[in-house]
Amino acid sequence: MATVRLVHLKAAFRGWTPSPPTAWELLRLPNSSIRAFSSAMSPPSRAIVYDEQGSPDAVCKVKELPPLPIQDSDVCVRMLAAPINPSDINRIEGVYPVRPPVPAVGGYEGIGEVHSVGSAVKGLRPGDWVIPSPPSSGTWQTYLVKEQNVWHRIDKSTPMEYAATITINPLTALRMLEDFVCLKSGDTVVQNGATSIVGQCIIQLARVRGIHSINIIRDRPGADEVKQKLKKLGADEVFTEKQLEVKNLKSLLTDIPEPTVGFNCVGGNAASLVLKFLKHGGTMVTYGGMSKKPITVSTSSFIFKDLSLRGFWLQKWLSSDKSKECRDMIDYLLSLTRSGELKYDMELCPFEEFPTALDKALGKLGSQPKQVIKF
Amino acid sequence: MATVRLVHLKAAFRGWTPSPPTAWELLRLPNSSIRAFSSAMSPPSRAIVYDEQGSPDAVCKVKELPPLPIQDSDVCVRMLAAPINPSDINRIEGVYPVRPPVPAVGGYEGIGEVHSVGSAVKGLRPGDWVIPSPPSSGTWQTYLVKEQNVWHRIDKSTPMEYAATITINPLTALRMLEDFVCLKSGDTVVQNGATSIVGQCIIQLARVRGIHSINIIRDRPGADEVKQKLKKLGADEVFTEKQLEVKNLKSLLTDIPEPTVGFNCVGGNAASLVLKFLKHGGTMVTYGGMSKKPITVSTSSFIFKDLSLRGFWLQKWLSSDKSKECRDMIDYLLSLTRSGELKYDMELCPFEEFPTALDKALGKLGSQPKQVIKF
């Protein structure tokens, strides 16, 4: 068994030798109960494990987990790719309200290829591409065994990195466009944090439906290129926060109607700008707080402008048994990635370089695209 | 014609002598168009008028308005009583989004007795008690002529001061309990500004339906008596803001469930306390901002606690042709005042002492009950 701090991860990947499993490693998936004997076993799995909550670069270790029995209705999947999402980091830090008990394997979504199936499994066979849908914990490892109902087979012509990342961020974008306001072609939405994956998806999913988007980004070097990039994706308007320091925000809009719904993943001033753009009676949906600043709203915004403020959390939406709807939406989103109508920035990173990918995901190396581990 | 600053109002009431009307006084009601000849005329009316927007004690004057022709479908009402509401003051100051054009007569609700009716008026006759419903401008005067549809006849056994004040604050309380969350007997609501008229009404209207209330009041001398008073009205819990400076707010609740809806008329810290009390998935409705401080909300309140923030403005609700529903609710509320199930603090003030009543309503004389002018 190899247990090493991430700073030594590369060495661990080179020098790893198997050793007898500890008690908890026999359980492998912390949530599973002790399993009955089974003839088929999974291969051993190399995994990013944390034994305690804390800063991910301090608590994450690479471990070799022993083979696991494959029950009749289990599917053993060889993972191909899995992203590092902000919520993965928050789960490891212990600040996310819903998280697996420690010790745990990191990751919550990803794409894999079926390696072997239990005797009672129907509709899946070795070689199929599958994703856990709804998303499920423990995807940062080379072999993952879960009950057949967890897995959703997808079209193998899908670009691997999109298949690995479709179930959280793009689904959040799709649900938020559907669940709060009845949007029609020709309507407008406004958002801050427009360069995030959710932000890029909102622009494109809106465009597919003929809905305009107003996008707010941070002031930073290269803002002009960012604007051009978002406009290429279909953004109607892109403003930096500084550009919006004007008395009459709405005078900046020329041809498009006032937005009826806004999306906020930043907080602070960037949230106030979304509120200012909204039409009378509009709704702002908060799904993130990147600035770590709260949202401040005037009394008159509620009384005289009749604004509504709501929140969206995919995990809650998924908890109300939406597996069928969820998979239909995943198929729709993946079809858009295949046709090129939905795309977003990602960087594939070999599993051996996980520490670098984690540093990038933690923001230690400046603004970086979404990191996707390739196993 | 007498036009005097309010500081000289008492003298004006004593020394008034009629003089020829000015052009606009011929119109009397600023919103009416020039009327056709009619044989019947109203008596002259003594009114609180403002020619320009500004501080009410600077711009309000008492004026003698000349007789007005009574059209076929008009009703001339001798006003009996009318309150000074905060929104009346905001209209005069010019900070209320909907207000009559100046010059205007103050006031927006009240009770009167039918003095005379036009030839086509049906269902109303001299001696009836009527209120403008929906509420309507210009009630601070001794005789008010408006179209018959404006007037709603009420039971003459109703206490006059309640009839004068039922259409704005109690109706706001009733609508807010109905329109946002489906409340059942045994549920709980939370509110700040609990000593306001709306606050007192929420306590009692909730109690009538078997709904618990948690009430937040300011820290001030006499807070204990205020608590006792609100509990007598039916409040389950009353806390001062200082009492709520504890880590776990909800540990203060013993027998009642967490509130699903909260009402905020203060803003600032008092609004944050309402949010803290709310149950997961709860809604806070803002209908006032007495502290003049905005509302500050954490990102996690929206995402992980799934709170919704909304606003309520009676004027908007009324604008969507709710006259029938509105009158049914008024009748219900008035029946509660007659049975003693709905009461709130008021002080009747003779019209001659309007300047004192206005000073009290403006908060110049400390905390005072609602001022109701008696004509």
Side-chain angles (χ1 to χ4, degrees):
Chain A
M1 188 200 81
T3 300
V4 287
R5 296 266 151 187
L6 276 184
V7 283
H8 305 303
L9 185 66
K10 281 190 193 178
F13 271 103
R14 278 194 304 271
W16 167 76
T17 46
S19 65
T22 60
W24 85 259
E25 284 168 343
L26 279 172
L27 296 174
R28 180 82 169 271
L29 292 169
N31 280 325
S32 65
S33 51
I34 292 173
R35 300 183 179 216
F37 175 78
S38 163
S39 56
M41 300 292 281
S42 75
S45 182
R46 202 173 299 178
I48 303 295
V49 170
Y50 52 103
D51 292 336
E52 56 182 331
Q53 245 88 48
S55 175
D57 48 4
V59 299
C60 283
K61 300 160 191 171
V62 62
K63 282 200 181 183
E64 183 75 19
L65 302 181
L68 199 67
I70 298 169
Q71 302 300 311
D72 291 350
S73 62
D74 281 350
V75 176
C76 172
V77 172
R78 182 172 70 86
M79 293 303 293
L80 299 171
I84 305 178
N85 284 317
S87 51
D88 295 323
I89 290 168
N90 295 152
R91 277 192 191 86
I92 298 168
E93 291 169 336
V95 299
Y96 208 70
V98 176
R99 50 185 193 262
V102 289
V105 176
Y108 215 73
E109 65 174 341
I111 172 74
E113 187 180 82
V114 174
H115 175 264
S116 58
V117 299
S119 59
V121 169
K122 289 198 178 102
L124 288 177
R125 54 186 177 182
D128 283 349
W129 273 22
V130 289
I131 56 177
S133 171
S136 182
S137 65
T139 56
W140 292 352
Q141 60 181 316
T142 51
Y143 287 93
L144 182 52
V145 178
K146 292 203 182 234
E147 218 275 326
Q148 63 178 332
N149 292 338
V150 170
W151 300 105
H152 177 51
R153 192 179 58 207
I154 65 153
D155 187 323
K156 288 179 82 166
S157 70
T158 308
M160 183 195 294
E161 64 275 25
Y162 286 103
T165 55
I166 205 76
T167 60
I168 295 179
N169 290 305
L171 190 56
T172 294
L174 183 61
R175 286 306 342 147
M176 292 201 301
L177 285 167
E178 300 275 352
D179 287 355
F180 294 92
V181 166
C182 182
L183 289 166
K184 297 185 304 295
S185 169
D187 287 347
T188 307
V189 303
V190 57
Q191 66 170 339
N192 59 31
T195 57
S196 70
I197 301 267
V198 174
Q200 293 178 56
C201 289
I202 283 174
I203 291 169
Q204 295 167 87
L205 294 173
R207 186 208 49 194
V208 166
R209 292 177 52 192
I211 294 163
H212 306 288
S213 67
I214 302 166
N215 299 275
I216 304 169
I217 61 172
R218 275 176 300 140
D219 292 273
R220 57 179 157 189
D224 281 341
E225 291 96 88
V226 173
K227 282 187 192 180
Q228 285 318 308
K229 216 191 82 184
L230 296 182
K231 287 196 173 178
K232 241 176 157 172
L233 292 181
D236 293 82
E237 301 280 1
V238 188
F239 302 105
T240 66
E241 290 188 37
K242 203 163 222 124
Q243 273 187 290
L244 298 175
E245 287 171 2
V246 294
K247 202 167 163 70
N248 183 3
L249 217 61
K250 293 184 179 173
S251 67
L252 298 171
L253 302 181
T254 47
D255 285 341
I256 58 177
E258 293 176 71
T260 51
V261 66
F263 305 107
N264 163 48
C265 66
V266 182
N269 178 56
S272 302
L273 292 171
V274 168
L275 292 172
K276 277 187 195 165
F277 265 119
L278 280 178
K279 187 176 174 176
H280 188 281
T283 298
M284 181 171 84
V285 182
T286 290
Y287 69 98
M290 292 197 291
S291 74
K292 300 196 190 296
K293 288 180 189 150
I295 296 143
T296 301
V297 200
S298 69
T299 298
S300 66
S301 295
F302 288 116
I303 303 181
F304 303 132
K305 201 177 167 186
D306 194 24
L307 296 186
S308 293
L309 271 64
R310 308 275 302 273
F312 181 79
W313 188 25
L314 186 67
Q315 185 122 10
K316 184 180 169 273
W317 183 84
L318 291 169
S319 68
S320 47
D321 192 26
K322 297 282 207 259
S323 49
K324 171 71 174 76
E325 275 166 89
C326 186
R327 291 181 178 188
D328 289 347
M329 289 186 300
I330 296 297
D331 290 342
Y332 167 68
L333 290 167
L334 289 176
S335 75
L336 294 179
T337 68
R338 289 191 297 272
S339 67
E341 288 169 283
L342 182 64
K343 48 193 168 193
Y344 40 86
D345 293 335
M346 286 175 282
E347 184 176 21
L348 277 166
C349 164
F351 191 23
E352 290 73 20
E353 289 166 25
F354 181 83
T356 310
L358 184 62
D359 281 351
K360 287 182 179 174
L362 288 169
K364 289 184 179 181
L365 303 171
S367 188
Q368 296 283 341
K370 165 76 66 191
Q371 297 297 302
V372 180
I373 310 162
K374 195 170 175 311
F375 297 95
Chain B
M1 188 200 78
T3 300
V4 286
R5 293 266 154 187
L6 275 185
V7 284
H8 304 303
L9 185 67
K10 282 191 194 179
F13 271 102
R14 280 197 303 272
W16 168 76
T17 45
S19 64
T22 61
W24 85 261
E25 285 167 344
L26 280 173
L27 296 175
R28 180 78 169 275
L29 292 168
N31 281 326
S32 64
S33 51
I34 293 171
R35 302 182 178 220
F37 174 76
S38 162
S39 55
M41 299 291 281
S42 76
S45 183
R46 203 174 300 178
I48 303 296
V49 171
Y50 53 102
D51 292 337
E52 56 182 331
Q53 245 88 46
S55 174
D57 48 4
V59 298
C60 282
K61 301 161 189 170
V62 62
K63 282 199 180 183
E64 184 76 17
L65 302 181
L68 199 68
I70 297 169
Q71 302 302 311
D72 291 350
S73 62
D74 280 349
V75 176
C76 173
V77 172
R78 181 172 70 86
M79 293 305 292
L80 300 171
I84 306 178
N85 284 317
S87 51
D88 295 324
I89 290 168
N90 294 152
R91 278 191 191 86
I92 297 167
E93 290 168 337
V95 298
Y96 207 71
V98 176
R99 49 185 194 263
V102 289
V105 176
Y108 214 72
E109 64 175 342
I111 172 72
E113 186 180 83
V114 173
H115 175 265
S116 58
V117 300
S119 58
V121 169
K122 288 198 178 103
L124 288 176
R125 54 188 179 182
D128 284 347
W129 273 22
V130 289
I131 57 177
S133 172
S136 181
S137 66
T139 57
W140 293 351
Q141 60 181 315
T142 51
Y143 287 93
L144 182 52
V145 178
K146 291 202 183 238
E147 218 275 326
Q148 61 178 334
N149 292 337
V150 170
W151 300 105
H152 176 50
R153 191 178 60 205
I154 64 155
D155 186 325
K156 287 180 82 165
S157 69
T158 307
M160 184 195 294
E161 64 275 25
Y162 285 102
T165 56
I166 205 76
T167 61
I168 295 179
N169 291 305
L171 190 56
T172 294
L174 182 62
R175 285 310 337 148
M176 291 201 302
L177 285 167
E178 301 274 352
D179 287 354
F180 294 92
V181 165
C182 181
L183 289 166
K184 297 184 304 292
S185 169
D187 287 347
T188 307
V189 302
V190 57
Q191 65 169 339
N192 59 31
T195 57
S196 69
I197 300 266
V198 174
Q200 294 178 56
C201 290
I202 283 175
I203 292 169
Q204 295 167 88
L205 294 174
R207 187 208 49 195
V208 165
R209 291 177 53 193
I211 294 163
H212 306 288
S213 66
I214 301 165
N215 299 275
I216 304 168
I217 62 173
R218 275 176 300 138
D219 292 274
R220 56 178 158 190
D224 282 340
E225 292 96 87
V226 173
K227 282 187 192 181
Q228 286 317 309
K229 216 190 85 185
L230 296 183
K231 285 194 175 182
K232 241 177 157 171
L233 292 181
D236 292 82
E237 301 281 1
V238 188
F239 302 104
T240 66
E241 289 188 38
K242 205 164 220 118
Q243 274 186 287
L244 298 176
E245 288 171 3
V246 293
K247 202 165 164 68
N248 183 1
L249 218 61
K250 292 184 181 174
S251 66
L252 299 171
L253 301 181
T254 48
D255 285 341
I256 58 176
E258 294 175 70
T260 51
V261 65
F263 304 108
N264 164 47
C265 66
V266 181
N269 178 57
S272 301
L273 292 172
V274 168
L275 292 173
K276 278 188 195 165
F277 264 119
L278 280 178
K279 187 178 174 174
H280 188 280
T283 299
M284 182 171 86
V285 182
T286 291
Y287 68 97
M290 291 195 293
S291 74
K292 299 196 191 296
K293 287 180 189 151
I295 296 143
T296 301
V297 199
S298 70
T299 298
S300 66
S301 296
F302 288 116
I303 302 180
F304 302 131
K305 203 176 167 187
D306 195 24
L307 297 185
S308 294
L309 272 66
R310 309 275 302 273
F312 181 79
W313 188 25
L314 186 68
Q315 185 122 10
K316 182 179 171 273
W317 184 84
L318 291 168
S319 67
S320 47
D321 192 25
K322 298 282 205 247
S323 50
K324 171 72 173 73
E325 276 166 88
C326 186
R327 290 181 179 188
D328 289 346
M329 289 187 300
I330 295 297
D331 290 343
Y332 167 68
L333 291 166
L334 289 176
S335 75
L336 293 179
T337 68
R338 289 192 297 272
S339 67
E341 289 169 283
L342 183 64
K343 49 193 169 192
Y344 39 85
D345 293 335
M346 288 176 282
E347 184 177 23
L348 277 166
C349 164
F351 192 22
E352 292 72 18
E353 290 167 25
F354 182 83
T356 309
L358 184 62
D359 282 349
K360 288 182 178 176
L362 289 170
K364 290 184 178 179
L365 304 171
S367 188
Q368 296 282 342
K370 165 77 63 189
Q371 298 295 305
V372 180
I373 311 161
K374 195 170 177 313
F375 296 95

